[in-house]
Amino acid sequence: MGQATEEVLSKKDNQARPVLDIKGLMVDFTTYAGVVKALDGVILDVKKGEALGLVGESGCGKSVTAATIEGLLPDNAHVVGGEVLLGEDDLLKKSKSDMRKIRVNDVAIVFQDPMTFLNPVLTIGTQLTEVIDMEEGIVDKEALKVLEEEGKPKPPTTGGNASGKPWKPTRSLRKKALRRLATQALSKVGLPDPDRIFDEYPHELSGGMRQRCMIAMAIARNPVLFIADEITTALDVTMQAQILDLLRALRRDFESSILIITHDLGVVASICDKVSVMYAGSVVETADIREIFANPLHPYTQGLLKAVPKVMGEKELDSIPGSVPDLIYPPAGCRFHPRCQYAWDLCAKEKPPHIETAPRHWVECHLYKEMKTSG
Amino acid sequence: MRKGMDETMPAPPPKRVSPMVAEVRYALHLLTLNKLVLAGIGLAVGLTLLAIIGPFFVPANTPNAINFQLGSQSELGNPNIGWAHPLGVDTYGRDTLSLIILALGLDMGAAGLVVGIGLVVGVLLGVTAGYIGGKIGEAIMRITDIFLALPLFIWALAIAAVLTRSLNSLIIALATVSWPGYTRIIRGQVLVEKGKPYVEGLQAVGVARWRIMLRHVVPNSIFPLLVQATLDIGGVILTLAALTFLGVGLTPLVPELGQMVSNGTTYIQIDPALITIPGLFIVAISLSFNLVGDGLRDVLDPRLRR
Amino acid sequence: MRLYEYIVRRMILLIFVLAGVTLVVFYLSHVISNPLYLYLTPKTTQAGIQALIEKYGLNQPLPVQYFKYFIGLFTGDWGYSKLATQPVFTAIAQRFPNTVELAIAAVILTIAVGIPLGIVSGVMNGKWADHASRIFAIVGVSLPVFWLGLLLKILFYYDFNVWGLPNLPSSGAYDTILALSHPAGLSPTITGVPLLDTLVTGNWVMFSDSFAHLILPAVTLAFISIGNITRIMRSSMLEVLRQDYITLARSKGLTERIVIYRHALRNAMVPTLTVSGLIFAGLLGGAPITEFIFQWPGIGQLSINGLLSNDLSLVLGYVFLTTIIIVVANLAVDILYAYMDPRVRI
C-alpha cells in the first residue's frame, strides 16, 4: 500500500469509529481455471446511521465483499489480506461459532431473489419465528404480555416458581407469543393481512411480498449493520419503489447502518448518503451522494454516469469501451487502465493508492493527488 | 500489494480450443480427481483384458476336463491340491481358475451383447419417437412404459419361463427388456435438441431429417446414454448370474459364474470357496462398471461442476 | 375433485400396462410352447387330449383365449397350478402374507440404516465418513443377491454352528418341527403373517422363532436396498445444501444443526421417501431369489418353483400381481410426493 493511503487511513481512525470498516481486503478464489483474484484491496466504511451504496458492474466483487462480511465465503475462497472491522472486532479473525453469533445479532443480509432464497417447504411463519426466537428473552416477555391481556394470572417473575426454577411459558403460549411478534414484524414491513401470510408458503406470495418477508427476517433482530444485496434487481419498477420507501422508513425508525449493493444508480440516488464505486475488486471512488453525481473524479465513475440514459437527450448512449477484465490474469497496475482514456505508463505499472483528494472524497487514480491538510 | 506478485506480469494468452475439446479435457480432469472411479476403470480394464487374453492360456477343453478323483467329496477342501490349481477345483474336478477365465468371457460378453443390442434398438426407437413424434412416437412410448413397469429380473423371469432353456434365449430375453430404458433417455434428449434453434436452421437450409438426426442430434444426446449403458452392464451381469444360478438357461458344465455358484451350493458346508470365488468375480465385474458409470454420471452432471 | 380424476386416469393406465405385460407373456407362451402340457399326464389318452383341449378352450383363436384369460384375471380365476395342486389364486394368496412380512422387515431395516447414512454422507461431503459410506453403498449395490444370501447363510448358520455360537436359522419362516411340537403351534392364524399372529396371541416361543427366521433374509434384502437409499439420500442432501435458501438460513445465524435438520432435510427427504415407497413395492414383488435361497414360503419362491417346473400359470399369476403392486405403488408415491412438497399440486 502506498504511504499516502496509510496516512489517510490513520486519519480516519481519529474520527468517530465507523460501524463497518474494511481495510485493504484481498480475497482469492481457487478454481479449475486458475486463481481468481476477486478482491484486490477493498477499502470502505459505513458510519452509524449511514446508508452506503456499493455500486459496480456484475463481477466487480460487490457480493464477495458482502459474503466476507457475513462470513459466508465458500470453501474455495481464501482471504489473503486486510481487515474487516465491525466496531472494534476484526471479523476475519473470528471463529466460526463467533461469526454465527455475529450473524444473529449484528449483521443481517437480504438477498436478491426471494424465490430461491426462501425455503419452499416451510411457511413464512416458521422462517420468521426462527429468527425471532434467537433473541434471548424476547419470547418470554411477549408471553407475559399475552397473559396480561388475556387476564390470566401472572406467574412470579422473581424467585421462581415452586420448584425454584425460573418461569417458562408453555408451548402453546410460546407459539402465541411468537406469532404475535412475527405478525408485528410483518406489518412493520408494510404487509397487509400479516396473519394470513404467516401461514403461507413462499410460492403463494408475489415477488414484492416475498422480498418484504426477507426484510422482516432481517430487521427482526435489530442488527447493527444491514446489508442489502441487489434486493431490487429482481423486482419491477413499482415494487422497487415500494421497497425503497420501506427501507427509507426503516432507516428513520431504526437508525441502523445500511450497506446497499446494487448496480442501479437510480436506487443509489434515492436512498444513499454515500457511494462507493467498485471496479474489478477494488473501490475506485467514494464520496457523498451529491458530490459523486456533481463531481465524479475517477474515469470509470465518469463513464458510468455518462452511460445512464437521460430522458431529455437524444444523443447516443456512451458506453465504456472494452470489457470487464479477466480476474485470473488481471491487468497490471491499475485494473482499469486498459479501458481508460487518460491512462499513461504509470497506470500500467503501479496500482494507485487510495487517497482523499477532496474533503470526504476518496479516489484510487494516478490523476489525482492527496489533498493538502493543514500542516 | 500482493506479496510476491510481479506487477508487470503479462497475462498468458488463453489457448484457443474448440468448446468440445475443452469440455472433454475438463471432464477427464474431474475424472482423475476421483480415486474410486479410477479404481473402477482399472478393474474393468483388467477384467476385460483377462477375459480376452486369458483363454489363450487355458486348455481349450477345460469345461469337459472332468476329473472325478479330484472332485470327489473326499478331495474337496483338501489343501493338498497344490499350485496346479491356484484357486482350487470345482465339484467336477476342473481347475477353478481356468473356469473363471472362461466364465469371464462368457459373462462379460453376454452382458455386453445384451446392452449392445438394447442400445441399438433403443436408440433407433427413441430417436424415431422423439424426432418424428406423432402417433408412432406415442405408440412407441406406450410400449416403453409397459416394459418399464416391471423390474428387469421379473421380466427376465417371465420371458425365460416361456422360452427354451439356452444362453441365447437368456440374452434375447434380457435384451428385450433393456432397450426401453435407452429409448426413454434418448427420446427425452432428442426432444430437447429438437427445440434448439440450430435444428430449425438446418431444416430451413434443406438438410435431410435423418442426417440432422444422425450427425447433430445424436452426438449431443449421447452422454446420458453412455452413463446408463455402463451402469446397465453392471446390472445385467447380476441378473444374468441370478438366472443361471436358478438353473435357467445353462447346463451344469458350462463355465459361467452364476452356474459355478449354483454347482457349489451342494457342497456349501464342505468347501465354501466354491461359492465365494466365482461370486467375488461377479462382484468385481459389477462393481467396476458401477464405479465407472457413477463417476461418469458425476462428471457429466452440470450441477456438480465448478 | 382433481385428485379423483388423477387416480382414475392412473388406474386406466394400470389396466393398460397389465394388458401389455400379460399379453407379451401369454403370447410367447402360447406360440412358443404348448400350454397343453400343463394339463397332460402320462396317462392321458388321445381322446383325453381332445377333451382337455375342449375343456380349456385351447382350440379357440388366440386373441379369444387371451381375452378370456385376461378377464379371468380380474375375476379371480388365475388358472390352475399343477405344481401346487391348487388354483393359482389360492396358492398365491396363501403365501402372500409371508412375503409381506419379509418386505416390511426389509424396508424398516433399509430406512433405519440407509437414511441416516445418506445424511451423514451428504453433510460430511469429502471427508472420510462420506467416502466410507459411498464405498459401502456402491459395493452393496454391486452384490448379487443370491451370493450375499449364501454367504450370510454360511457365516451365520453353518460357521456359527461349528464354532459353537448360537446360529440363525437358514430356511423357512419358522421351525416346522417346533411348531408341531409346541402345544399352540402357529394357530390361530389371523393375518397369516406368522410374526404378527404369534405376537397378537402372546405365543412368545413361536414369536421369537419366527423372528429369528426373519433375520437373515431381511438383512440380505436390506443390504442392497440400503446401498440404493444411501446414494439417493446423499445426492439429495448435496443438491439441497447447495441451494440459496440454505445460505439464507446460515446468514440468519442459525446453528448448523438447525440448518440441516429443519431446512435441508425437509427438502432432501422428499425424493428419498418416494424411492423407499418404490423399494417397498419392489420387495412386495417377493424378492424371488432371496426367498428361494432361504426357502421362505412367499410368492417369490412360489414363482421360481413354478418357473423351474414350467408351471406357466403360476408364473403368469405372479407377474400379474407384481405388476399391480408396482404400478399402484408408483401412484401412491406420486400422491405422497404432492402431499410433501407444497409446490406440487396434482
Side-chain angles (χ1 to χ4, degrees), chain C residues 2 19 37 46 49 80 83 88 98 110 120 141 143 150 153 161 169 175 178 222 244 247 256 281 294 313 322 333-334:
Chain C
R2 294 190 56 201
Y37 290 117
Q46 276 290 60
I49 293 181
Y80 186 82
L83 179 69
V88 170
N98 288 316
T110 307
V120 164
V141 166
L143 293 174
L150 287 174
K153 247 173 120 156
N161 232 337
D175 192 336
L178 183 61
D244 287 334
T247 308
E256 195 64 14
F294 290 100
S313 37
T322 309
V333 152
D334 283 344

PDB file of all heavy atoms in Angstrom, chain C residues 2 19 37 46 49 80 83 88 98 110 120 141 143 150 153 161 169 175 178 222 244 247 256 281 294 313 322 333-334:
ATOM      1  N   ARG C   2     -59.973 -32.952  -8.386  1.00  0.00           N
ATOM      2  CA  ARG C   2     -58.880 -33.247  -9.303  1.00  0.00           C
ATOM      3  C   ARG C   2     -58.106 -34.479  -8.893  1.00  0.00           C
ATOM      4  O   ARG C   2     -57.603 -35.207  -9.731  1.00  0.00           O
ATOM      5  CB  ARG C   2     -57.978 -32.028  -9.393  1.00  0.00           C
ATOM      6  CG  ARG C   2     -58.701 -30.864 -10.046  1.00  0.00           C
ATOM      7  CD  ARG C   2     -57.779 -29.732 -10.374  1.00  0.00           C
ATOM      8  NE  ARG C   2     -56.683 -30.167 -11.219  1.00  0.00           N
ATOM      9  CZ  ARG C   2     -55.547 -29.485 -11.298  1.00  0.00           C
ATOM     10  NH1 ARG C   2     -55.390 -28.400 -10.575  1.00  0.00           N
ATOM     11  NH2 ARG C   2     -54.585 -29.887 -12.060  1.00  0.00           N
ATOM     12  N   ALA C  19     -52.474 -55.207 -19.296  1.00  0.00           N
ATOM     13  CA  ALA C  19     -52.783 -55.878 -20.550  1.00  0.00           C
ATOM     14  C   ALA C  19     -51.505 -56.116 -21.332  1.00  0.00           C
ATOM     15  O   ALA C  19     -51.262 -57.217 -21.828  1.00  0.00           O
ATOM     16  CB  ALA C  19     -53.765 -55.034 -21.357  1.00  0.00           C
ATOM     17  N   TYR C  37     -49.384 -78.915 -22.310  1.00  0.00           N
ATOM     18  CA  TYR C  37     -48.542 -79.713 -21.425  1.00  0.00           C
ATOM     19  C   TYR C  37     -48.869 -79.519 -19.958  1.00  0.00           C
ATOM     20  O   TYR C  37     -48.554 -80.368 -19.138  1.00  0.00           O
ATOM     21  CB  TYR C  37     -47.062 -79.384 -21.648  1.00  0.00           C
ATOM     22  CG  TYR C  37     -46.574 -79.878 -22.989  1.00  0.00           C
ATOM     23  CD1 TYR C  37     -46.115 -79.007 -23.956  1.00  0.00           C
ATOM     24  CD2 TYR C  37     -46.604 -81.230 -23.275  1.00  0.00           C
ATOM     25  CE1 TYR C  37     -45.686 -79.454 -25.174  1.00  0.00           C
ATOM     26  CE2 TYR C  37     -46.189 -81.703 -24.507  1.00  0.00           C
ATOM     27  CZ  TYR C  37     -45.726 -80.815 -25.463  1.00  0.00           C
ATOM     28  OH  TYR C  37     -45.307 -81.270 -26.671  1.00  0.00           O
ATOM     29  N   GLN C  46     -55.518 -90.190 -26.232  1.00  0.00           N
ATOM     30  CA  GLN C  46     -55.780 -89.276 -27.327  1.00  0.00           C
ATOM     31  C   GLN C  46     -57.113 -88.591 -27.134  1.00  0.00           C
ATOM     32  O   GLN C  46     -57.243 -87.384 -27.294  1.00  0.00           O
ATOM     33  CB  GLN C  46     -55.815 -90.060 -28.653  1.00  0.00           C
ATOM     34  CG  GLN C  46     -54.433 -90.274 -29.231  1.00  0.00           C
ATOM     35  CD  GLN C  46     -53.825 -88.963 -29.742  1.00  0.00           C
ATOM     36  OE1 GLN C  46     -53.642 -88.021 -28.960  1.00  0.00           O
ATOM     37  NE2 GLN C  46     -53.559 -88.911 -31.018  1.00  0.00           N
ATOM     38  N   ILE C  49     -56.838 -86.077 -24.557  1.00  0.00           N
ATOM     39  CA  ILE C  49     -56.235 -84.819 -25.006  1.00  0.00           C
ATOM     40  C   ILE C  49     -57.291 -83.941 -25.635  1.00  0.00           C
ATOM     41  O   ILE C  49     -57.389 -82.741 -25.369  1.00  0.00           O
ATOM     42  CB  ILE C  49     -55.107 -85.094 -26.027  1.00  0.00           C
ATOM     43  CG1 ILE C  49     -53.961 -85.811 -25.323  1.00  0.00           C
ATOM     44  CG2 ILE C  49     -54.625 -83.790 -26.638  1.00  0.00           C
ATOM     45  CD1 ILE C  49     -52.790 -86.118 -26.208  1.00  0.00           C
ATOM     46  N   TYR C  80     -54.996 -72.898 -12.991  1.00  0.00           N
ATOM     47  CA  TYR C  80     -54.723 -73.952 -12.024  1.00  0.00           C
ATOM     48  C   TYR C  80     -53.238 -74.277 -12.026  1.00  0.00           C
ATOM     49  O   TYR C  80     -52.615 -74.350 -13.069  1.00  0.00           O
ATOM     50  CB  TYR C  80     -55.545 -75.197 -12.388  1.00  0.00           C
ATOM     51  CG  TYR C  80     -55.436 -76.271 -11.352  1.00  0.00           C
ATOM     52  CD1 TYR C  80     -56.219 -76.226 -10.202  1.00  0.00           C
ATOM     53  CD2 TYR C  80     -54.542 -77.324 -11.509  1.00  0.00           C
ATOM     54  CE1 TYR C  80     -56.121 -77.210  -9.246  1.00  0.00           C
ATOM     55  CE2 TYR C  80     -54.435 -78.314 -10.559  1.00  0.00           C
ATOM     56  CZ  TYR C  80     -55.235 -78.252  -9.431  1.00  0.00           C
ATOM     57  OH  TYR C  80     -55.126 -79.221  -8.490  1.00  0.00           O
ATOM     58  N   LEU C  83     -48.240 -77.586 -10.047  1.00  0.00           N
ATOM     59  CA  LEU C  83     -47.211 -77.746  -9.030  1.00  0.00           C
ATOM     60  C   LEU C  83     -47.811 -77.685  -7.637  1.00  0.00           C
ATOM     61  O   LEU C  83     -47.516 -78.501  -6.774  1.00  0.00           O
ATOM     62  CB  LEU C  83     -46.161 -76.645  -9.186  1.00  0.00           C
ATOM     63  CG  LEU C  83     -45.034 -76.679  -8.167  1.00  0.00           C
ATOM     64  CD1 LEU C  83     -44.166 -77.896  -8.411  1.00  0.00           C
ATOM     65  CD2 LEU C  83     -44.207 -75.420  -8.275  1.00  0.00           C
ATOM     66  N   VAL C  88     -54.264 -71.227  -8.890  1.00  0.00           N
ATOM     67  CA  VAL C  88     -53.139 -70.304  -8.754  1.00  0.00           C
ATOM     68  C   VAL C  88     -53.451 -69.202  -7.748  1.00  0.00           C
ATOM     69  O   VAL C  88     -52.625 -68.836  -6.906  1.00  0.00           O
ATOM     70  CB  VAL C  88     -52.796 -69.680 -10.126  1.00  0.00           C
ATOM     71  CG1 VAL C  88     -51.806 -68.552  -9.961  1.00  0.00           C
ATOM     72  CG2 VAL C  88     -52.243 -70.747 -11.045  1.00  0.00           C
ATOM     73  N   ASN C  98     -46.620 -63.965   3.948  1.00  0.00           N
ATOM     74  CA  ASN C  98     -45.222 -64.183   4.308  1.00  0.00           C
ATOM     75  C   ASN C  98     -44.308 -63.211   3.590  1.00  0.00           C
ATOM     76  O   ASN C  98     -43.339 -62.695   4.146  1.00  0.00           O
ATOM     77  CB  ASN C  98     -44.798 -65.612   3.967  1.00  0.00           C
ATOM     78  CG  ASN C  98     -45.410 -66.616   4.904  1.00  0.00           C
ATOM     79  OD1 ASN C  98     -45.430 -66.406   6.112  1.00  0.00           O
ATOM     80  ND2 ASN C  98     -45.933 -67.700   4.361  1.00  0.00           N
ATOM     81  N   THR C 110     -33.923 -51.052   5.938  1.00  0.00           N
ATOM     82  CA  THR C 110     -33.346 -50.170   4.930  1.00  0.00           C
ATOM     83  C   THR C 110     -33.432 -48.712   5.348  1.00  0.00           C
ATOM     84  O   THR C 110     -32.460 -47.974   5.296  1.00  0.00           O
ATOM     85  CB  THR C 110     -34.100 -50.324   3.596  1.00  0.00           C
ATOM     86  OG1 THR C 110     -34.119 -51.688   3.247  1.00  0.00           O
ATOM     87  CG2 THR C 110     -33.430 -49.517   2.520  1.00  0.00           C
ATOM     88  N   VAL C 120     -25.477 -38.380   6.761  1.00  0.00           N
ATOM     89  CA  VAL C 120     -24.103 -38.178   7.221  1.00  0.00           C
ATOM     90  C   VAL C 120     -23.176 -38.017   6.025  1.00  0.00           C
ATOM     91  O   VAL C 120     -22.336 -37.118   5.977  1.00  0.00           O
ATOM     92  CB  VAL C 120     -23.655 -39.373   8.086  1.00  0.00           C
ATOM     93  CG1 VAL C 120     -22.148 -39.385   8.234  1.00  0.00           C
ATOM     94  CG2 VAL C 120     -24.306 -39.312   9.442  1.00  0.00           C
ATOM     95  N   VAL C 141     -24.665 -52.265  -3.749  1.00  0.00           N
ATOM     96  CA  VAL C 141     -25.460 -52.324  -4.961  1.00  0.00           C
ATOM     97  C   VAL C 141     -24.875 -53.291  -5.980  1.00  0.00           C
ATOM     98  O   VAL C 141     -25.565 -53.770  -6.880  1.00  0.00           O
ATOM     99  CB  VAL C 141     -25.566 -50.888  -5.544  1.00  0.00           C
ATOM    100  CG1 VAL C 141     -26.071 -50.907  -6.934  1.00  0.00           C
ATOM    101  CG2 VAL C 141     -26.462 -50.060  -4.677  1.00  0.00           C
ATOM    102  N   LEU C 143     -23.556 -56.242  -5.271  1.00  0.00           N
ATOM    103  CA  LEU C 143     -23.551 -57.632  -4.827  1.00  0.00           C
ATOM    104  C   LEU C 143     -24.689 -58.417  -5.464  1.00  0.00           C
ATOM    105  O   LEU C 143     -25.807 -57.938  -5.518  1.00  0.00           O
ATOM    106  CB  LEU C 143     -23.715 -57.699  -3.308  1.00  0.00           C
ATOM    107  CG  LEU C 143     -22.586 -57.153  -2.465  1.00  0.00           C
ATOM    108  CD1 LEU C 143     -23.002 -57.179  -1.009  1.00  0.00           C
ATOM    109  CD2 LEU C 143     -21.346 -58.002  -2.639  1.00  0.00           C
ATOM    110  N   LEU C 150     -26.228 -66.528   0.341  1.00  0.00           N
ATOM    111  CA  LEU C 150     -25.462 -67.735   0.619  1.00  0.00           C
ATOM    112  C   LEU C 150     -24.346 -67.455   1.612  1.00  0.00           C
ATOM    113  O   LEU C 150     -24.107 -68.223   2.535  1.00  0.00           O
ATOM    114  CB  LEU C 150     -24.876 -68.299  -0.678  1.00  0.00           C
ATOM    115  CG  LEU C 150     -25.887 -68.967  -1.601  1.00  0.00           C
ATOM    116  CD1 LEU C 150     -25.219 -69.352  -2.905  1.00  0.00           C
ATOM    117  CD2 LEU C 150     -26.473 -70.198  -0.933  1.00  0.00           C
ATOM    118  N   LYS C 153     -25.666 -67.140   5.000  1.00  0.00           N
ATOM    119  CA  LYS C 153     -26.021 -68.475   5.489  1.00  0.00           C
ATOM    120  C   LYS C 153     -24.780 -69.210   5.977  1.00  0.00           C
ATOM    121  O   LYS C 153     -24.764 -69.808   7.039  1.00  0.00           O
ATOM    122  CB  LYS C 153     -26.655 -69.280   4.350  1.00  0.00           C
ATOM    123  CG  LYS C 153     -28.107 -69.617   4.529  1.00  0.00           C
ATOM    124  CD  LYS C 153     -28.633 -70.239   3.283  1.00  0.00           C
ATOM    125  CE  LYS C 153     -29.156 -71.620   3.496  1.00  0.00           C
ATOM    126  NZ  LYS C 153     -30.129 -72.050   2.509  1.00  0.00           N
ATOM    127  N   ASN C 161     -22.573 -72.589  13.807  1.00  0.00           N
ATOM    128  CA  ASN C 161     -22.822 -73.933  14.334  1.00  0.00           C
ATOM    129  C   ASN C 161     -21.516 -74.600  14.735  1.00  0.00           C
ATOM    130  O   ASN C 161     -21.341 -75.102  15.820  1.00  0.00           O
ATOM    131  CB  ASN C 161     -23.488 -74.774  13.243  1.00  0.00           C
ATOM    132  CG  ASN C 161     -24.736 -75.426  13.769  1.00  0.00           C
ATOM    133  OD1 ASN C 161     -24.881 -75.620  14.972  1.00  0.00           O
ATOM    134  ND2 ASN C 161     -25.644 -75.740  12.871  1.00  0.00           N
ATOM    135  N   PRO C 169     -31.323 -69.429  12.061  1.00  0.00           N
ATOM    136  CA  PRO C 169     -31.883 -70.438  11.166  1.00  0.00           C
ATOM    137  C   PRO C 169     -31.793 -69.978   9.719  1.00  0.00           C
ATOM    138  O   PRO C 169     -31.752 -68.785   9.448  1.00  0.00           O
ATOM    139  CB  PRO C 169     -33.330 -70.557  11.615  1.00  0.00           C
ATOM    140  CG  PRO C 169     -33.603 -69.315  12.344  1.00  0.00           C
ATOM    141  CD  PRO C 169     -32.319 -68.825  12.921  1.00  0.00           C
ATOM    142  N   ASP C 175     -39.782 -72.690  12.427  1.00  0.00           N
ATOM    143  CA  ASP C 175     -39.336 -74.071  12.547  1.00  0.00           C
ATOM    144  C   ASP C 175     -40.538 -74.989  12.586  1.00  0.00           C
ATOM    145  O   ASP C 175     -41.269 -75.014  13.571  1.00  0.00           O
ATOM    146  CB  ASP C 175     -38.508 -74.198  13.836  1.00  0.00           C
ATOM    147  CG  ASP C 175     -37.756 -75.504  13.894  1.00  0.00           C
ATOM    148  OD1 ASP C 175     -38.188 -76.463  13.227  1.00  0.00           O
ATOM    149  OD2 ASP C 175     -36.755 -75.552  14.617  1.00  0.00           O
ATOM    150  N   LEU C 178     -40.733 -77.438  15.455  1.00  0.00           N
ATOM    151  CA  LEU C 178     -41.080 -76.771  16.700  1.00  0.00           C
ATOM    152  C   LEU C 178     -42.570 -76.469  16.743  1.00  0.00           C
ATOM    153  O   LEU C 178     -43.233 -76.636  17.757  1.00  0.00           O
ATOM    154  CB  LEU C 178     -40.270 -75.481  16.828  1.00  0.00           C
ATOM    155  CG  LEU C 178     -40.455 -74.683  18.135  1.00  0.00           C
ATOM    156  CD1 LEU C 178     -40.034 -75.536  19.312  1.00  0.00           C
ATOM    157  CD2 LEU C 178     -39.658 -73.407  18.088  1.00  0.00           C
ATOM    158  N   ALA C 222     -32.189 -56.202   2.684  1.00  0.00           N
ATOM    159  CA  ALA C 222     -31.964 -54.809   3.062  1.00  0.00           C
ATOM    160  C   ALA C 222     -30.600 -54.307   2.602  1.00  0.00           C
ATOM    161  O   ALA C 222     -30.454 -53.160   2.213  1.00  0.00           O
ATOM    162  CB  ALA C 222     -32.093 -54.658   4.572  1.00  0.00           C
ATOM    163  N   ASP C 244     -29.882 -21.749  -2.449  1.00  0.00           N
ATOM    164  CA  ASP C 244     -29.786 -20.413  -1.871  1.00  0.00           C
ATOM    165  C   ASP C 244     -30.432 -20.318  -0.495  1.00  0.00           C
ATOM    166  O   ASP C 244     -29.941 -19.592   0.371  1.00  0.00           O
ATOM    167  CB  ASP C 244     -30.457 -19.394  -2.804  1.00  0.00           C
ATOM    168  CG  ASP C 244     -29.615 -19.135  -4.036  1.00  0.00           C
ATOM    169  OD1 ASP C 244     -28.388 -19.319  -3.956  1.00  0.00           O
ATOM    170  OD2 ASP C 244     -30.188 -18.724  -5.055  1.00  0.00           O
ATOM    171  N   THR C 247     -28.151 -20.884   2.252  1.00  0.00           N
ATOM    172  CA  THR C 247     -27.278 -19.740   2.521  1.00  0.00           C
ATOM    173  C   THR C 247     -28.011 -18.729   3.398  1.00  0.00           C
ATOM    174  O   THR C 247     -27.454 -18.210   4.359  1.00  0.00           O
ATOM    175  CB  THR C 247     -26.866 -19.046   1.217  1.00  0.00           C
ATOM    176  OG1 THR C 247     -26.343 -20.009   0.321  1.00  0.00           O
ATOM    177  CG2 THR C 247     -25.819 -17.987   1.479  1.00  0.00           C
ATOM    178  N   GLU C 256     -25.736 -24.767  12.700  1.00  0.00           N
ATOM    179  CA  GLU C 256     -25.638 -25.702  11.582  1.00  0.00           C
ATOM    180  C   GLU C 256     -26.633 -26.843  11.755  1.00  0.00           C
ATOM    181  O   GLU C 256     -27.206 -27.345  10.807  1.00  0.00           O
ATOM    182  CB  GLU C 256     -24.206 -26.232  11.504  1.00  0.00           C
ATOM    183  CG  GLU C 256     -23.877 -26.927  10.197  1.00  0.00           C
ATOM    184  CD  GLU C 256     -23.938 -26.006   8.994  1.00  0.00           C
ATOM    185  OE1 GLU C 256     -23.976 -24.764   9.172  1.00  0.00           O
ATOM    186  OE2 GLU C 256     -23.975 -26.503   7.865  1.00  0.00           O
ATOM    187  N   ALA C 281     -42.457 -51.551  -2.686  1.00  0.00           N
ATOM    188  CA  ALA C 281     -43.280 -52.215  -3.687  1.00  0.00           C
ATOM    189  C   ALA C 281     -42.488 -53.311  -4.380  1.00  0.00           C
ATOM    190  O   ALA C 281     -42.979 -54.418  -4.598  1.00  0.00           O
ATOM    191  CB  ALA C 281     -43.786 -51.204  -4.698  1.00  0.00           C
ATOM    192  N   PHE C 294     -33.525 -68.826   0.976  1.00  0.00           N
ATOM    193  CA  PHE C 294     -33.864 -69.110   2.359  1.00  0.00           C
ATOM    194  C   PHE C 294     -35.127 -69.936   2.499  1.00  0.00           C
ATOM    195  O   PHE C 294     -35.663 -70.072   3.601  1.00  0.00           O
ATOM    196  CB  PHE C 294     -34.020 -67.790   3.134  1.00  0.00           C
ATOM    197  CG  PHE C 294     -32.719 -67.082   3.336  1.00  0.00           C
ATOM    198  CD1 PHE C 294     -32.366 -66.023   2.525  1.00  0.00           C
ATOM    199  CD2 PHE C 294     -31.849 -67.481   4.328  1.00  0.00           C
ATOM    200  CE1 PHE C 294     -31.161 -65.371   2.707  1.00  0.00           C
ATOM    201  CE2 PHE C 294     -30.640 -66.841   4.522  1.00  0.00           C
ATOM    202  CZ  PHE C 294     -30.294 -65.785   3.713  1.00  0.00           C
ATOM    203  N   SER C 313     -48.911 -70.999 -15.575  1.00  0.00           N
ATOM    204  CA  SER C 313     -49.987 -70.192 -14.992  1.00  0.00           C
ATOM    205  C   SER C 313     -49.559 -69.598 -13.666  1.00  0.00           C
ATOM    206  O   SER C 313     -49.961 -68.484 -13.305  1.00  0.00           O
ATOM    207  CB  SER C 313     -51.259 -71.024 -14.824  1.00  0.00           C
ATOM    208  OG  SER C 313     -50.929 -72.332 -14.461  1.00  0.00           O
ATOM    209  N   THR C 322     -47.581 -58.818  -9.269  1.00  0.00           N
ATOM    210  CA  THR C 322     -46.454 -57.906  -9.092  1.00  0.00           C
ATOM    211  C   THR C 322     -46.653 -56.611  -9.865  1.00  0.00           C
ATOM    212  O   THR C 322     -46.364 -55.524  -9.369  1.00  0.00           O
ATOM    213  CB  THR C 322     -45.148 -58.567  -9.556  1.00  0.00           C
ATOM    214  OG1 THR C 322     -45.036 -59.844  -8.945  1.00  0.00           O
ATOM    215  CG2 THR C 322     -43.960 -57.730  -9.173  1.00  0.00           C
ATOM    216  N   VAL C 333     -46.906 -43.249  -4.489  1.00  0.00           N
ATOM    217  CA  VAL C 333     -45.713 -42.428  -4.286  1.00  0.00           C
ATOM    218  C   VAL C 333     -45.892 -41.041  -4.894  1.00  0.00           C
ATOM    219  O   VAL C 333     -45.521 -40.031  -4.297  1.00  0.00           O
ATOM    220  CB  VAL C 333     -44.489 -43.148  -4.890  1.00  0.00           C
ATOM    221  CG1 VAL C 333     -43.441 -42.176  -5.314  1.00  0.00           C
ATOM    222  CG2 VAL C 333     -43.929 -44.118  -3.889  1.00  0.00           C
ATOM    223  N   ASP C 334     -46.496 -40.989  -6.078  1.00  0.00           N
ATOM    224  CA  ASP C 334     -46.719 -39.689  -6.687  1.00  0.00           C
ATOM    225  C   ASP C 334     -47.644 -38.825  -5.843  1.00  0.00           C
ATOM    226  O   ASP C 334     -47.452 -37.624  -5.704  1.00  0.00           O
ATOM    227  CB  ASP C 334     -47.312 -39.850  -8.086  1.00  0.00           C
ATOM    228  CG  ASP C 334     -46.264 -40.264  -9.088  1.00  0.00           C
ATOM    229  OD1 ASP C 334     -45.063 -40.127  -8.778  1.00  0.00           O
ATOM    230  OD2 ASP C 334     -46.638 -40.727 -10.179  1.00  0.00           O
TER     231      ASP C 334
END
